Amino acid sequence: MGPFLRDSAQVPEDADPPKPAAVVIPRTTEHVATSVKFAYDHELPVSIWAAGTGLAGGALPYEGGLVIAMHQMNSILEVDADARLATVQAGVIVQDLDSAVRKYGLFYAPDPASSARATIGGTIATNAGGLRCIAYGTTADHVAALTVVLADGSVISTGSRTIKNATGLNLTQLFVGSEGTLGIITKATVWLTPIPQGTPETFLASFDSIDDAGRAVVSMVKSAAELEVLEMLDATVTQWVEEDNHAGLAIPQAALIIGMAVGENAARSVDIACECAEHAGASEVRRQPGDGLMAVRKLSLPALQKRGVWVQGDTGVPVPRLPELIAKIEDIAEEEQHQVRIVAHVGDGNLHPMIEVVDNDWDTANRVTDRITAAAIELDGVISGEHGIGIFKHHELPMQFDEATLAAQHAIKKALDPKGILSPGRAI
Amino acid sequence: MGPFLRDSAQVPEDADPPKPAAVVIPRTTEHVATSVKFAYDHELPVSIWAAGTGLAGGALPYEGGLVIAMHQMNSILEVDADARLATVQAGVIVQDLDSAVRKYGLFYAPDPASSARATIGGTIATNAGGLRCIAYGTTADHVAALTVVLADGSVISTGSRTIKNATGLNLTQLFVGSEGTLGIITKATVWLTPIPQGTPETFLASFDSIDDAGRAVVSMVKSAAELEVLEMLDATVTQWVEEDNHAGLAIPQAALIIGMAVGENAARSVDIACECAEHAGASEVRRQPGDGLMAVRKLSLPALQKRGVWVQGDTGVPVPRLPELIAKIEDIAEEEQHQVRIVAHVGDGNLHPMIEVVDNDWDTANRVTDRITAAAIELDGVISGEHGIGIFKHHELPMQFDEATLAAQHAIKKALDPKGILSPGRAI
């Protein structure tokens, strides 16, 4: 398969991809506006391609549709270090922006796993998360202003360069996470953050009971510890990481918690977090200056990929309900006789169940995924914590939204895109 | 004038208030839905009354319209300390919620000046700010989920109880700050924050040049100092506070900066902030453990009120542009031969010009206000930083928004309120 035809979303390798009628590669907002106007006049479905790192299929082309590929809109237009703002074209790579601003003592806080390839526009359109959200929030929290091309080719400006703004509707946050359904983001002004000083500090805590691990996380989140990262691997994933890397990890019976603090309070924050872990019954707690132990988290995906094909699930529940969700996932896995492994951003309740795809049987994996979503929603959770809905979870929307709430979303979609040409049938 | 007839917005005392046809005092979401459905069927304009603390006239009644007064929807429905969430009816007073959750080691961070009277629903509908926004953001940053009655009486649920959520459009943030134009918030789930430990520390820094003060603020905001409050009074206001209170303040030639840090790093943060002030050329820097010096800020409004009637302006610019805005305001004041005093949340660029109303001449004061808005917008600022648009700034909207952007806002309004019954002619 060529470019613009599939993204990182998990689909069978032999799936027959839809063939778009044309791919436009704009360099300016005006190019995008002209192209969209053409699609609007001819009622062509439009998909927006950025870096192809999406995990929900939201950027896949439509048969006979128009693809707008944003990768050449990749200029960093301005860095205003005093105002802590940068303005970029939507196709700028996340990591490139971050690298460009560090010389000012600032960084770009959103850091999804795909940041070396994903674009600012794509990560805004999907409200991308990542590992550092417990400290810095998601991408939404770093967007100041947007330039957006609407379905009819008109160009609007949302937000402002001010920290506070109580002027008109918050269109900025309406477009953040709208997954290409309301308009095409061509330019973004984003907030930069002062680089924390001091040495980071990391810790690992092993738990033989998932309830104990859950209590540890709740107490950490409520404590004065200022953690930047708070992650979890299940026991099997921990064992696989250890098998592959011989890091000397004690394999827990239930879960391994991995945390990091940065800034001048790092050691103090890790003190508090380790006390929480011990108090909740951790079987082993280990800590270390620097960010070395974070490697354990990053090695989990390669360890999984080496051992199978997985649908990477993505759901979220309130932090205190994580142990219940994990217990339900174990029940579902047992009932379905299906392997589900768990990695999670436990600090914000965002859980990625890894659902094995056996013998290319995607239907079973998808059914298990839907059952896990249903379980999460019963626990006050959401269909997607950070990957979005796209095409893969579109059928799940009625699990979360009642008719009136879905109707309100569709009314807004229709108001901004009356012909329904932008990413139709996706996200909402 | 009786209740439900005027809010805190500055209008002439002898203004003839509009007379609504009826006032509904609901106790439940269903009561609100029934009332709004009635108004929808009969095409009555609806205004929403909470505590009457608004500063932009957004809650004032319509002649012959329906007032929905939310003060009896005042139950705190749930506090989930482990999840750091509280669910309340919209009419709960901000301070009452804060008081109710402190026993769990948590607090409700939004703290507008009106928090002893303002309601959760009203502060969400206006995205209220306040003194602590540089540390905690505005009200928007603390809203997890909403129950909203739409114009046709249907009830929708937005948001979630999860920290991360990438499911559907972000309707929550669309309703935050929409000033009653899109729906009526009847219930809110909000985030609570761990109470910082340690002793607060405050400082005052006097500047004889506004540019020096501006440079000090920029360097504080970019530094590692974690300030909770960063305020400014102009020289005259400082002098009036001193005249009334004999606090021993050194009267600066340009401005007094007031800052506070809380938490375990408070002293260190104030160290850094004071260094920034001295480096930028402060004529005097004074610091003190505890929050005592904050009184200086709080005494500024009484000092102003004692000396005249004022239109309390509200605008925002990027922090580095504050000195330019202040210089422009001084120019406007001189050209108009009109007194304008300045108090500001300088840490987030939100400036409140206090425009004197002489001999009940509101027209002149309003014209000066408009000129200041225009000056702010030229400096990449906004019409309103935290008070909202309401009726008083509605005519200014075209200063900030181009036609396409205003049209997009109106399209969304029309999609959710096709008959235009909710707060018509206000906010957008």
Side-chain angles (χ1 to χ4, degrees), chain B residues 313-315 317 325 328-330 332-333 340-342 351 353-355 365-379 382 393 396 399:
Chain B
D314 168 51
T315 188
V317 289
L325 178 60
K328 286 206 177 194
I329 290 173
E330 285 170 357
I332 292 167
V340 182
R341 302 269 54 94
I342 292 173
L351 187 140
M354 305 296 290
I355 300 115
N366 288 333
R367 188 183 67 237
V368 172
T369 304
D370 289 348
R371 289 193 63 183
I372 292 173
T373 299
I377 288 172
E378 269 181 38
L379 296 168
V382 290
K393 292 199 161 180
E396 291 184 353
M399 295 185 189

Side-chain angles (χ1 to χ4, degrees), chain A residues 415-428:
Chain A
L416 295 183
D417 178 14
K419 294 183 181 177
I421 63 162
L422 298 179
S423 306
R426 297 178 186 171
I428 57 172

Side-chain angles (χ1 to χ4, degrees), chain A residues 118-184:
Chain A
T119 66
I120 297 290
T123 52
I124 291 174
T126 55
N127 188 16
L131 292 188
R132 298 196 296 220
C133 297
I134 56 164
Y136 302 111
T138 61
T139 298
D141 298 304
H142 303 274
V143 183
L146 297 173
T147 300
V148 181
V149 176
L150 299 183
D152 65 358
S154 61
V155 180
I156 68 169
S157 304
T158 78
S160 69
R161 295 171 68 89
T162 61
I163 294 174
K164 279 183 186 162
N165 183 7
T167 313
L169 302 179
N170 190 342
L171 297 187
T172 306
Q173 293 299 327
L174 184 64
F175 285 103
V176 172
S178 65
E179 298 187 56
T181 58
L182 302 183
I184 300 172

Side-chain angles (χ1 to χ4, degrees), chain B residues 118-179:
Chain B
T119 65
I120 296 290
T123 52
I124 291 174
T126 55
N127 188 16
L131 291 189
R132 298 196 297 222
C133 298
I134 57 165
Y136 303 111
T138 62
T139 298
D141 298 304
H142 304 274
V143 182
L146 296 174
T147 301
V148 181
V149 176
L150 299 183
D152 65 358
S154 61
V155 179
I156 68 168
S157 304
T158 78
S160 69
R161 296 171 67 89
T162 61
I163 294 174
K164 278 182 187 162
N165 182 7
T167 312
L169 302 179
N170 190 342
L171 296 188
T172 306
Q173 293 300 327
L174 185 63
F175 285 104
V176 173
S178 64
E179 299 188 56

Side-chain angles (χ1 to χ4, degrees), chain B residues 63-246:
Chain B
E63 188 73 33
L66 184 69
V67 172
I68 300 187
M70 301 295 291
H71 57 285
Q72 291 203 3
M73 289 189 68
N74 60 354
S75 295
I76 296 174
L77 302 170
E78 182 215 17
V79 177
D80 181 345
D82 281 351
R84 296 204 277 108
L85 288 169
T87 299
V88 300
Q89 286 189 306
V92 165
I93 306 295
V94 172
Q95 208 170 75
D96 291 350
L97 171 61
D98 184 61
S99 304
V101 302
R102 287 198 171 248
K103 64 183 167 210
Y104 303 103
L106 300 168
F107 76 116
Y108 180 61
D111 183 37
S114 56
S115 61
R117 293 196 296 134
T119 65
I120 296 290
T123 52
I124 291 174
T126 55
N127 188 16
L131 291 189
R132 298 196 297 222
C133 298
I134 57 165
Y136 303 111
T138 62
T139 298
D141 298 304
H142 304 274
V143 182
L146 296 174
T147 301
V148 181
V149 176
L150 299 183
D152 65 358
S154 61
V155 179
I156 68 168
S157 304
T158 78
S160 69
R161 296 171 67 89
T162 61
I163 294 174
K164 278 182 187 162
N165 182 7
T167 312
L169 302 179
N170 190 342
L171 296 188
T172 306
Q173 293 300 327
L174 185 63
F175 285 104
V176 173
S178 64
E179 299 188 56
T181 57
L182 302 183
I184 300 173
I185 297 163
T186 58
K187 201 166 84 174
T189 300
V190 297
W191 293 108
L192 307 173
T193 305
I195 298 172
Q197 304 301 305
T199 311
E201 185 127 356
T202 41
F203 70 92
L204 301 177
S206 303
F207 289 89
D208 293 334
S209 139
I210 198 69
D211 288 334
D212 290 349
R215 283 188 301 116
V217 169
V218 167
S219 61
M220 288 176 201
V221 169
K222 284 169 70 184
S223 77
E226 292 168 5
L227 299 176
E228 187 176 72
V229 177
L230 189 53
E231 298 289 308
M232 198 200 84
L233 308 180
D234 74 17
T236 303
V237 174
T238 308
Q239 187 181 329
W240 290 348
V241 170
E242 178 60 21
E243 281 173 19
D244 294 354
N245 302 282
H246 309 289

Side-chain angles (χ1 to χ4, degrees), chain A residues 24-297:
Chain A
V24 171
I25 304 177
R27 289 180 180 276
T28 67
T29 296
E30 291 66 35
H31 291 170
V32 174
T34 307
S35 313
V36 174
K37 178 74 166 55
F38 178 87
Y40 187 78
D41 290 343
H42 296 81
E43 300 202 23
L44 299 178
V46 176
S47 60
I48 305 133
W49 186 267
T53 57
L55 289 162
L60 295 175
Y62 293 90
E63 189 73 33
L66 185 69
V67 172
I68 301 188
M70 302 296 291
H71 57 286
Q72 291 203 4
M73 289 190 67
N74 60 354
S75 295
I76 296 174
L77 302 170
E78 182 215 19
V79 177
D80 181 345
D82 280 351
R84 296 204 278 108
L85 289 168
T87 300
V88 300
Q89 286 189 306
V92 166
I93 306 295
V94 172
Q95 209 170 74
D96 290 349
L97 172 62
D98 184 62
S99 304
V101 302
R102 287 197 171 249
K103 64 183 165 208
Y104 302 103
L106 300 168
F107 75 115
Y108 180 62
D111 183 37
S114 56
S115 61
R117 293 195 297 131
T119 66
I120 297 290
T123 52
I124 291 174
T126 55
N127 188 16
L131 292 188
R132 298 196 296 220
C133 297
I134 56 164
Y136 302 111
T138 61
T139 298
D141 298 304
H142 303 274
V143 183
L146 297 173
T147 300
V148 181
V149 176
L150 299 183
D152 65 358
S154 61
V155 180
I156 68 169
S157 304
T158 78
S160 69
R161 295 171 68 89
T162 61
I163 294 174
K164 279 183 186 162
N165 183 7
T167 313
L169 302 179
N170 190 342
L171 297 187
T172 306
Q173 293 299 327
L174 184 64
F175 285 103
V176 172
S178 65
E179 298 187 56
T181 58
L182 302 183
I184 300 172
I185 297 163
T186 58
K187 201 165 83 172
T189 300
V190 296
W191 293 107
L192 307 173
T193 305
I195 298 173
Q197 303 301 306
T199 311
E201 184 126 357
T202 40
F203 69 91
L204 301 177
S206 304
F207 289 88
D208 292 334
S209 138
I210 198 68
D211 288 333
D212 291 350
R215 282 188 300 117
V217 169
V218 167
S219 62
M220 289 176 201
V221 169
K222 285 169 69 186
S223 76
E226 291 169 6
L227 300 176
E228 187 176 71
V229 177
L230 189 54
E231 299 287 310
M232 200 202 83
L233 308 179
D234 75 16
T236 303
V237 174
T238 308
Q239 188 180 329
W240 290 347
V241 170
E242 177 60 22
E243 280 173 19
D244 294 353
N245 302 282
H246 309 290
L249 299 176
I251 309 305
Q253 282 178 42
L256 181 73
I257 302 283
I258 307 161
M260 178 166 79
V262 296
E264 299 192 2
N265 271 351
R268 169 86 183 119
S269 289
V270 170
D271 285 348
I272 296 169
C274 290
E275 275 165 35
C276 292
E278 276 158 11
H279 192 74
S283 57
E284 187 182 303
V285 178
R286 194 170 135 188
R287 62 185 288 171
Q288 192 171 292
D291 60 2
L293 295 177
M294 284 305 299
V296 173
R297 171 65 177 85

